[in-house]
Amino acid sequence: MTIDHRPLRADAQRNLERITASARALFAERGTKAQMEDIAAHAGVGIGTLYRRFPTKEALLTALVRQRFQEFAAIAVEAETIADPYDALATSMRRQAESVEGDVAFQLATMNIDSFSWDGIEEDKSALNAVIGRIIDRARSAGVVRSDLELDDFAMMMCGLTATMYFLHDKISWQRHLELLLAGLRPD
Amino acid sequence: MTIDHRPLRADAQRNLERITASARALFAERGTKAQMEDIAAHAGVGIGTLYRRFPTKEALLTALVRQRFQEFAAIAVEAETIADPYDALATSMRRQAESVEGDVAFQLATMNIDSFSWDGIEEDKSALNAVIGRIIDRARSAGVVRSDLELDDFAMMMCGLTATMYFLHDKISWQRHLELLLAGLRPD
DNA sequence: ACCTGAACACCGTTCAAGT
DNA sequence: ACCTGAACACCGTTCAAGT
């Protein structure tokens, strides 16, 4: 949605970036209730321009989530270079969590599934899963995590972690949650 | 909201029960998008009657959540009678999870915080926490769980678990998640 | 006391006119 | 190509009239 199109006219590109930035800011501040008109105004464009890029509010939320998933993949790729197999895994989780922490719009979209469509997200997710899959395999082969750990567990744990972030706004809570999750990964 | 009022007139009481039942059903089916008019119609009452009991959509959602919290407390009270300290804790978690599983409206309300208010929920929560606190203390004293386990951890884990239920609709996923969480509780 | 539903207000979305 | 905002539609909420 935000990607893979022939380049936009310079002013249109600038507007697009302003829109996503404003959306992120207002969703973070007001939750899903943030209004499309306010977002457009905040970005300094007409409401029609906003709708030209994102046909629905859902689509706008989805675009923000996709950006975050792409960030996840970048984090995982970097974590994969860590020599210690366990560290690579734990660091992926921790860095992704930190990245989500600063992105209330993502948490929100994530927590309000029925109010947005996942169009195109599968794409980003499978790119992410490829890396995470390798990181998990390595940790398992090295015997530093329980032998039945699998890819889906990762997403599940991140999902739970995101949920507590959304509910309990303090950093300490989700770090504690992460600690408990990691403890559950110890070799059997 | 649903409780502590002088008894309603018989027909009003019947209407109230129909309303919450219909709300539960329609929210489960359509998510937050379920419309107030449809809920009223489904319950066989006028829209005004619905608003007489629940001043806003948020209040309606909140009432459903409070009912579930009360159910949690009942489950915990029963689990407390289990002789084995670890079993008492694990059973509390599992039974609560099962109870949430059958209540999509609760998952919904819980995951869509910005669309419902926590009014009055503290009350139910502290009743629940009293029991859970005792169960956790007993398990810790018995040395069957990590020595730093505390009350807040319980809510956090349940929150994460509810999130995966909401996202991944199959029973296997949340049971796996629960298994990982329990593994993380092992004595250090 | 409680019930009803037409009317109102708000906000997501469209579209005709403009550059 | 892209921008604009007035107009429309939908749905949460209110309230005057009724039992």
Side-chain angles (χ1 to χ4, degrees):
Chain A
M1 202 119 268
T2 12
I3 44 174
D4 75 29
H5 282 309
R6 34 214 84 263
L8 293 169
R9 217 169 65 182
D11 58 338
Q13 178 62 34
R14 207 178 323 119
N15 282 340
L16 175 59
E17 279 158 20
R18 275 185 182 162
I19 289 170
T20 50
S22 296
R24 212 176 276 286
L26 292 192
F27 282 134
E29 187 183 314
R30 307 175 195 175
T32 333
K33 288 170 188 162
Q35 292 167 218
M36 293 298 266
E37 272 206 48
D38 289 349
I39 292 170
H42 187 277
V45 301
I47 182 69
T49 302
L50 172 47
Y51 274 93
R52 158 170 270 262
R53 295 300 159 215
F54 305 100
T56 65
K57 196 174 179 177
E58 287 190 7
L60 179 54
L61 245 351
T62 303
L64 300 185
V65 173
R66 293 194 64 176
Q67 286 179 359
R68 187 56 44 195
F69 268 101
Q70 285 155 23
E71 169 73 10
F72 282 174
I75 288 171
V77 165
E78 208 200 316
E80 203 182 6
T81 65
I82 297 176
D84 183 79
Y86 180 81
D87 250 24
L89 178 60
T91 300
S92 296
M93 291 185 67
R94 177 167 290 109
R95 293 250 173 87
Q96 284 192 18
E98 279 161 0
S99 143
V100 172
E101 188 185 22
D103 187 357
V104 190
F106 175 85
Q107 296 171 32
L108 230 168
T110 266
M111 295 296 102
N112 288 269
I113 341 171
D114 65 304
S115 69
F116 89 109
S117 83
W118 293 87
D119 285 353
I121 285 201
E122 285 312 319
E123 225 177 289
D124 301 310
K125 216 151 71 170
S126 66
L128 171 60
N129 281 345
V131 199
I132 298 293
R134 287 198 303 272
I135 293 179
I136 288 180
D137 284 348
R138 182 153 66 102
R140 213 175 35 209
S141 305
V144 295
V145 294
R146 53 190 295 159
S147 58
D148 68 348
L149 188 68
E150 48 178 298
L151 183 57
D152 289 342
D153 296 333
F154 190 90
M156 208 165 59
M157 292 186 292
M158 290 309 298
C159 168
L161 197 48
T162 303
T164 59
M165 261 184 210
Y166 189 44
F167 280 76
L168 295 65
H169 310 284
D170 63 310
K171 196 173 188 109
I172 292 168
S173 295
W174 74 254
Q175 284 175 338
R176 167 68 174 170
H177 192 159
L178 179 57
E179 186 190 328
L180 290 176
L181 289 173
L182 290 173
L185 298 187
R186 284 177 298 190
D188 19 10
Chain B
M1 203 118 266
T2 11
I3 46 173
D4 77 31
H5 282 310
R6 32 215 85 265
L8 293 169
R9 218 169 64 183
D11 58 339
Q13 178 62 34
R14 208 178 324 118
N15 282 339
L16 175 58
E17 280 157 20
R18 276 187 182 159
I19 289 169
T20 49
S22 295
R24 213 176 277 287
L26 292 192
F27 281 133
E29 188 183 312
R30 307 177 194 174
T32 333
K33 288 170 188 163
Q35 291 167 218
M36 294 297 268
E37 273 206 48
D38 289 349
I39 292 170
H42 187 277
V45 301
I47 182 70
T49 302
L50 170 47
Y51 273 93
R52 158 171 271 263
R53 295 300 161 216
F54 304 100
T56 65
K57 196 174 180 180
E58 286 191 7
L60 178 54
L61 246 351
T62 303
L64 300 185
V65 173
R66 293 195 63 176
Q67 287 180 357
R68 187 57 43 197
F69 268 100
Q70 286 155 23
E71 170 74 9
F72 284 173
I75 288 171
V77 164
E78 208 200 316
E80 202 181 7
T81 65
I82 297 175
D84 182 78
Y86 180 80
D87 250 24
L89 179 59
T91 301
S92 296
M93 289 185 69
R94 177 167 290 109
R95 293 251 173 87
Q96 285 192 18
E98 278 161 1
S99 140
V100 171
E101 186 186 24
D103 187 356
V104 188
F106 174 86
Q107 298 168 30
L108 221 171
T110 265
M111 293 297 103
N112 287 267
I113 337 172
D114 65 307
S115 68
F116 95 106
S117 83
W118 292 85
D119 284 353
I121 286 202
E122 284 312 320
E123 226 177 289
D124 302 309
K125 214 151 73 171
S126 66
L128 171 61
N129 281 345
V131 199
I132 297 294
R134 288 198 301 272
I135 293 178
I136 287 179
D137 284 348
R138 183 154 66 102
R140 212 175 35 209
S141 305
V144 295
V145 294
R146 53 190 294 161
S147 58
D148 68 348
L149 187 67
E150 48 178 296
L151 184 56
D152 289 343
D153 295 333
F154 189 91
M156 210 164 59
M157 291 185 293
M158 290 308 298
C159 169
L161 200 46
T162 302
T164 58
M165 265 184 207
Y166 188 44
F167 281 77
L168 295 65
H169 310 285
D170 63 311
K171 195 175 188 106
I172 292 168
S173 294
W174 74 255
Q175 284 175 338
R176 167 70 173 170
H177 192 161
L178 178 57
E179 185 190 328
L180 290 176
L181 289 173
L182 289 174
L185 299 186
R186 286 177 295 191
D188 19 10

